[in-house]
Amino acid sequence: MSSATPRINFKYLSQFEGKTVRIAGKVGEKQGNNVILHTTDNGQVIVDRSQNLKKSYETNNVEVLGVWKNNQLSELTFFNLSDNFDFDTYNQMIDLSMEHKEIFM
Amino acid sequence: MTNNSNENVIVRTITPLTIRQIQLSTESEGNTFKIDNEFVMNVSLVGTVIKVLDGNTYTNYTIDDGTGQLKIREFKRHKQNNMEEEEQQQQPQEEGGEGENKSKAKEIENPFENKYVRIIGNLKEYKNQKSFSVTKITEITDSNQITTHFLEAILVHLQRIKGTLKKEQTSSQNSQIKEEKKEIQKETNNNNNNSNNIITQQNTNQILGLALKDKALRLISSNQTSSGISLQELAKELKSTEEEIREIVDFFLDQGQIYITIDDEHFRSTD
């Protein structure tokens, strides 16, 4: 029944090849249809926005929901996050959610 | 916090949950669900709105919080005949009600698109199905509330499941669990502090202000002379500035708790 789209960061990407995930971070450089996302744990992820180009990111920090495949995150949708978003605590929350997967996925 | 009357159980707490937890819960008594072995009625969720269906008497939202998806229902409030409407809405799934709404419900524009929301609602069982009715749905403007919610869900989950395993735990397991709980508590507090520092400071200032007012009134009341106590004396006793004292006495004058005597710098209590 799992329609989970887990929240992950850069260090967990390898475990989710081909899966739909949520990655949060700071919006970086735009490169055509792609955007660099600086993840909450200081990684860099290429986000392919071609399926969701009509909506623009409205904030400096976003959470992107997409399919992680071939070293790219194909965006399905995104969510605006506030500027005061605490990356460190968020990373720790992700770690804890991985330790207690029973209530997350 | 709502208190739902139920045949068997009244639960007064709000439990932070993930949708996955709701999906996995099957146990119930009466029409109250149990999650992690505890009765759960009022629930808080944090997630995003995927779809909105607008019906006559209620709006259906489909929520996704990253752990699963859930359909929730918010009853519409009407300004007139509020009580009657709500009574009718208590039985939405009985004859005809559900059917009528389903056929008229149409998908509308999502007012929460690309945003996170916090939902407080009631989880009930109705005809062997889970039913979630929304008390409040609000947009989250401080995204740290997302982090905090999931940390709280983990904390409550651990407290409820590990707390019952007392006999089988060894002492090393115990200390490990305590460490885990402490970490979560610390992070939740940190997170709350980050968001709430300003509010806490304001609260502290308010409390200090109240203490000063209290002392001032007592000093004025305790003065039995006909000319009363002067502004200067009050400032000296309370180690405060005359301006601050002026504000305080003005407040009490307005309230009618003190009055001026020989001039507007001398006061007596009306008690």
Side-chain angles (χ1 to χ4, degrees):
Chain A
M1 204 220 279
S2 186
S3 50
T5 48
R7 281 182 187 79
I8 63 170
N9 51 21
F10 190 80
K11 83 176 185 226
Y12 291 105
L13 280 171
S14 54
Q15 299 175 28
F16 291 88
E17 177 69 28
K19 300 274 182 349
T20 308
V21 292
R22 295 169 185 252
I23 305 181
K26 187 163 173 227
V27 179
E29 215 178 75
K30 221 164 143 186
Q31 295 167 348
N33 284 347
N34 293 346
V35 166
I36 305 282
L37 185 68
H38 298 278
T39 69
T40 50
D41 57 343
N42 290 322
Q44 279 192 25
V45 162
I46 298 172
V47 178
D48 170 11
R49 301 210 68 220
S50 47
Q51 288 180 42
N52 199 28
L53 281 171
K54 48 185 174 160
K55 293 250 156 68
S56 304
Y57 296 156
E58 288 166 33
T59 46
N60 296 320
N61 297 323
V62 293
E63 180 187 77
V64 180
L65 195 162
V67 182
W68 173 246
K69 207 171 175 186
N70 300 328
N71 276 332
Q72 268 198 359
L73 186 68
S74 298
E75 179 181 313
L76 295 167
T77 186
F78 69 90
F79 304 99
N80 296 307
L81 300 175
S82 54
D83 282 342
N84 68 345
F85 191 55
D86 183 339
F87 284 8
D88 290 333
T89 314
Y90 183 75
N91 288 329
Q92 290 176 76
M93 184 275 285
I94 290 182
D95 287 340
L96 283 167
S97 72
M98 292 296 171
E99 283 173 45
H100 300 285
K101 285 186 171 148
E102 69 272 16
I103 64 170
F104 286 93
M105 32 194 121
Chain B
M1 237 192 291
T2 55
N3 167 20
N4 291 305
S5 62
N6 180 282
E7 296 118 313
N8 306 316
V9 178
I10 297 175
V11 181
R12 298 175 197 273
T13 54
I14 299 182
T15 312
L17 292 179
T18 65
I19 291 179
R20 187 90 187 108
Q21 286 177 289
I22 295 178
Q23 285 172 342
L24 291 173
S25 76
T26 46
E27 234 188 302
S28 65
E29 272 178 45
N31 62 354
T32 309
F33 273 94
K34 265 189 165 183
I35 292 179
D36 294 337
N37 225 26
E38 298 256 351
F39 283 111
V40 156
M41 285 176 95
N42 301 306
V43 166
S44 72
L45 295 174
V46 162
T48 59
V49 177
I50 300 178
K51 195 167 157 183
V52 185
L53 285 172
D54 194 41
N56 267 344
T57 55
Y58 54 80
T59 308
N60 268 347
Y61 296 95
T62 306
I63 305 294
D64 184 338
D65 72 350
T67 73
Q69 296 187 359
L70 185 71
K71 289 204 175 95
I72 66 177
R73 173 167 302 162
E74 182 183 34
F75 293 115
K76 293 189 178 180
R77 296 174 200 282
H78 298 275
K79 285 176 190 167
Q80 290 163 341
N81 303 322
N82 215 0
M83 286 286 283
E84 282 173 25
E85 290 286 356
E86 289 205 27
E87 271 169 34
Q88 284 171 19
Q89 286 158 11
Q90 290 303 321
Q91 316 138 24
Q93 287 114 333
E94 292 180 24
E95 305 107 12
E98 173 77 333
E100 279 173 20
N101 269 298
K102 259 191 175 160
S103 58
K104 288 180 187 168
K106 56 184 200 304
E107 187 161 357
I108 58 169
E109 198 183 318
N110 182 355
F112 299 107
E113 189 154 23
N114 301 122
K115 293 177 183 160
Y116 264 89
V117 291
R118 169 184 295 284
I119 297 147
I120 313 279
N122 303 321
L123 184 65
K124 284 185 253 203
E125 189 184 26
Y126 184 76
K127 288 186 178 168
N128 290 321
Q129 281 196 327
K130 289 182 186 98
S131 137
F132 191 107
S133 73
V134 178
T135 312
K136 197 170 179 184
I137 179 168
T138 47
E139 184 187 327
I140 283 178
T141 49
D142 181 347
S143 307
N144 292 307
Q145 289 187 23
I146 304 167
T147 312
T148 312
H149 174 81
F150 290 111
L151 287 172
E152 285 174 350
I154 295 169
L155 180 65
V156 170
H157 170 66
L158 286 177
Q159 282 174 340
R160 288 182 174 181
I161 58 167
K162 307 254 183 177
T164 57
L165 293 173
K166 287 171 205 156
K167 285 176 196 166
E168 287 125 81
Q169 279 169 348
T170 63
S171 57
S172 62
Q173 271 181 349
N174 262 338
S175 53
Q176 195 195 24
I177 289 160
K178 275 187 188 158
E179 278 305 307
E180 230 172 48
K181 279 195 205 172
K182 261 192 214 163
E183 204 184 303
I184 296 172
Q185 190 76 63
K186 200 167 67 165
E187 280 160 21
T188 315
N189 287 343
N190 275 344
N191 213 269
N192 279 338
N193 283 342
N194 287 337
S195 321
N196 294 335
N197 257 338
I198 298 170
I199 298 175
T200 313
Q201 194 56 52
Q202 283 175 349
N203 281 346
T204 312
N205 287 342
Q206 275 177 2
I207 292 166
L208 287 175
L210 278 172
L212 192 64
K213 263 191 185 155
D214 227 12
K215 283 183 193 167
L217 188 62
R218 275 193 217 144
L219 275 171
I220 299 171
S221 305
S222 64
N223 186 296
Q224 297 297 322
T225 66
S226 54
S227 49
I229 189 169
S230 72
L231 192 78
Q232 291 79 10
E233 273 174 67
L234 280 169
K236 190 171 151 202
E237 288 292 323
L238 298 169
K239 298 189 176 69
S240 185
T241 62
E242 284 191 18
E243 286 77 31
E244 260 182 36
I245 301 297
R246 173 52 73 185
E247 263 186 58
I248 292 175
V249 298
D250 281 346
F251 171 79
F252 287 129
L253 280 166
D254 279 338
Q255 298 281 313
Q257 286 174 289
I258 64 176
Y259 61 95
I260 59 176
T261 55
I262 51 176
D263 61 28
D264 67 359
E265 288 194 350
H266 285 78
F267 314 97
R268 277 199 71 180
S269 160
T270 49
D271 281 333

